[in-house]
Amino acid sequence: MCQLFALLVLFATSCSKNSEETKITQSVEEEEKQNPTSDQETFNYASSGTYNLNIVYFVPKDSKARIDSHRRLSEILLNGQEFYRNEMIRNGFGDKTFHLLVDDEKNRVKIDFIEGHSSAATYPYEGGGVKMIEEIEAYYDKNPSKRNSDHYLVLSPVENPQEADAPYYGLGKWCFATDYDDMDIKYLGGNSTLSNLATTYIGGLLHELGHGLNLPHNKEMMSQTNSSDFGTALMGSGNYTYGSTPTFLTAASCAILENNQVFSPNNNDYYTGANGKVDEITATFDNGNINLTGTLNTDIPVNSISIYNDPSDDEADYDAVSWVAKVENDQFEIAMPVAELYKKQNIDYVLRLLLNHTNGDISRLSYQYEFKNGVPLFGFGKRDYIDRTDWSIASFSSQEDSGGEGDTGRASDILDGNLETYWHSCWQGSCTNNEYPHSLIVDAGASTTIDGFTFVQRQNLSRSVKNIEIRVSNDNETWQSLGNFNLANINTAQHIQLDNSISFRYFELVSKSAHDGQQFASLAEVLCF
């Protein structure tokens, strides 16, 4: 899941509140504006697209829509629609933006006001989004003609956005934000408290919308930071700058949106499933550039790759600097100047490749590299692997053979050459050893001399191993430890190069911790070279 934007908004300035006296003396007109679910006006909505973003105003049972919400949110969404359009044009992807159902004459966007089954306290920040989704899905199941696409923006009313305990993040193709009385585009661009709040929460809404449109976080390049043409990336810290100082979408974000369902003018099928791999990849450092080339193997065409260089010194990805590589005949190449990166001294990086399939699906691959004294060093790519035909599992501490992982989960699955299968420690049924450390022993069948080990984590990175000890033996009784090693949380091959060649018949993998901090372990493949 993406990092959650709501953690950032805690630092915004204070919000003004309507006094109780103001609430008591509200006019009838204001009361009607506050309750837009009643049928007071007819709108003629239309769109040039087949698929349109679903806009949901979710009102808990003990709440009301905020004052003039339909007008304010319509203007915000139309403003955001134009922002996305301009960024697509600027980055060379044409006159495209997310489609909305709009009454052009009245300048209103179609919003489905849905009353929740429970009070606002039932839909908190933690877990509230899932509860809202369940009720919204039930609503659309009963009203299928109102569902316009696979993408949803869900807004909930709050009195003070800074103190609200409400969902504010992305969950897959769903995204959540809040609405308050003074959230209005007329306040964008000023220096008042209302203007600062408008920047934070209108920018925040459009940031979370990006997540709901499949966009990950990323940061602007070094050269863009102080540029009047660029400034701050919306999918980075743009919620603090939108409408106030220059804010933009990166080319990597726009490349993803190019294939998005609600950006499409046609009625093609989207998100039908796709599988993409990189058969060959090479990285070099020359003339100040990281030069990346590769060959793809895909079942659905890929027209571009969004590439994210993410420093590994934290668990967030807000500081990932990105590029786009065009794909022609399943091949790509790109030069990425390291001068555009912020961190270059003795630090690990994760290189994330998002393969943008033409049906909107995205295949995600991740690699590891490091900087030493300002120079990038690359350890990924294929090796001359030892034949594993005679390899077998000699023993294991546990495996998931109770059906919890379907047709996989066994220890032997780390030797089958299939990245979609994996070993998983026992978690279902009568597990007698389901806590770290977890171990398994491989019998190579005969004495084998190697220079290193290669590991592949489970493809979705669930239960991926963090720390692992490697031990070797010639008789499965006397063991020599080769040391403890940290595996990266990436889903491509990562190599452990030994200081010297070593011979053995058996090797033991002792998994000691997981990246998610839980007690389970999983690995897709282990090889030697």
Side-chain angles (χ1 to χ4, degrees), residues 4 33 39 76 79 81 103 119 176 195 198 224 235 277 298 306 336-337 360 375 378 393 423 446 457-458 521 526:
L4 305 183
K33 287 180 179 179
D39 296 327
I76 288 170
N79 176 276
Q81 188 183 50
D103 185 323
S119 64
F176 301 82
S195 293
Q224 295 170 330
M235 298 312 296
K277 300 293 182 185
T298 70
S306 297
M336 300 178 287
V375 177
F378 311 99
I393 300 297
W423 161 66
Q457 304 270 26
R458 185 176 172 182
V526 59

Side-chain angles (χ1 to χ4, degrees), residues 4 52 62 64 114 118 157 172 192 200 229 247 320 344 383 393 419 443 447 460 464 468 497:
L4 305 183
N52 299 283
D62 59 349
K64 289 183 178 180
I114 300 176
S118 306
S192 67
T200 299
D229 293 329
T247 307
K344 298 184 282 287
R383 296 292 190 271
I393 300 297
L419 296 182
D443 180 0
S447 181
N460 66 3
S464 56
I468 194 167
Q497 181 77 43

Side-chain angles (χ1 to χ4, degrees), residues 276-345:
K277 300 293 182 185
V278 176
D279 278 348
E280 298 179 9
I281 186 168
T282 302
T284 60
F285 178 59
D286 186 43
N287 293 327
N289 295 324
I290 294 175
N291 301 298
L292 197 67
T293 62
T295 302
L296 305 183
N297 183 351
T298 70
D299 55 356
I300 300 293
V302 169
N303 54 10
S304 67
I305 303 176
S306 297
I307 303 172
Y308 297 79
N309 293 265
D310 185 15
S312 299
D313 56 344
D314 56 38
E315 295 298 323
D317 53 359
Y318 290 97
D319 54 356
V321 179
S322 60
W323 279 266
V324 174
K326 289 296 183 182
V327 176
E328 295 182 2
N329 300 319
D330 289 332
Q331 295 185 325
F332 68 93
E333 62 177 326
I334 189 168
M336 300 178 287
V338 298
E340 298 288 9
L341 302 177
Y342 293 80
K343 301 174 182 179
K344 298 184 282 287
Q345 289 297 324

Side-chain angles (χ1 to χ4, degrees), residues 12 33 94 115 117 130 149 184 200 229 279 281 283 327 340 346 350 355 419 421 427 429 464 469 521:
K33 287 180 179 179
E115 183 176 343
H117 297 165
V130 173
S149 70
D184 199 314
T200 299
D229 293 329
D279 278 348
I281 186 168
V327 176
E340 298 288 9
N346 303 325
V350 174
L355 312 187
L419 296 182
T421 63
W427 64 270
S464 56
E469 181 184 7

Side-chain angles (χ1 to χ4, degrees), residues 299-454:
D299 55 356
I300 300 293
V302 169
N303 54 10
S304 67
I305 303 176
S306 297
I307 303 172
Y308 297 79
N309 293 265
D310 185 15
S312 299
D313 56 344
D314 56 38
E315 295 298 323
D317 53 359
Y318 290 97
D319 54 356
V321 179
S322 60
W323 279 266
V324 174
K326 289 296 183 182
V327 176
E328 295 182 2
N329 300 319
D330 289 332
Q331 295 185 325
F332 68 93
E333 62 177 326
I334 189 168
M336 300 178 287
V338 298
E340 298 288 9
L341 302 177
Y342 293 80
K343 301 174 182 179
K344 298 184 282 287
Q345 289 297 324
N346 303 325
I347 186 172
D348 290 337
Y349 266 78
V350 174
L351 182 71
R352 296 191 179 93
L353 272 58
L354 275 60
L355 312 187
N356 299 316
H357 297 275
T358 54
N359 70 344
D361 282 316
I362 300 171
S363 294
R364 293 171 169 83
L365 301 169
S366 48
Y367 302 85
Q368 186 180 35
Y369 71 95
E370 64 179 328
F371 271 91
K372 285 192 175 180
N373 300 319
V375 177
L377 304 176
F378 311 99
F380 53 81
K382 288 187 176 181
R383 296 292 190 271
D384 186 11
Y385 295 121
I386 302 294
D387 181 20
R388 296 186 297 173
T389 302
D390 296 328
W391 288 20
S392 63
I393 300 297
S395 64
F396 50 83
S397 58
S398 78
Q399 64 178 8
E400 180 47 52
D401 54 9
S402 300
E405 298 297 325
D407 294 331
T408 189
R410 268 68 67 187
S412 59
D413 290 340
I414 68 168
L415 304 178
D416 65 359
N418 183 355
L419 296 182
E420 301 304 321
T421 63
Y422 48 87
W423 161 66
H424 198 297
S425 61
C426 180
W427 64 270
Q428 182 168 285
S430 56
C431 298
T432 59
N433 184 5
N434 60 354
E435 295 185 357
Y436 275 99
H438 301 287
S439 65
L440 55 82
I441 295 175
V442 175
D443 180 0
S447 181
T448 303
T449 301
I450 69 163
D451 294 322
F453 290 83
T454 295

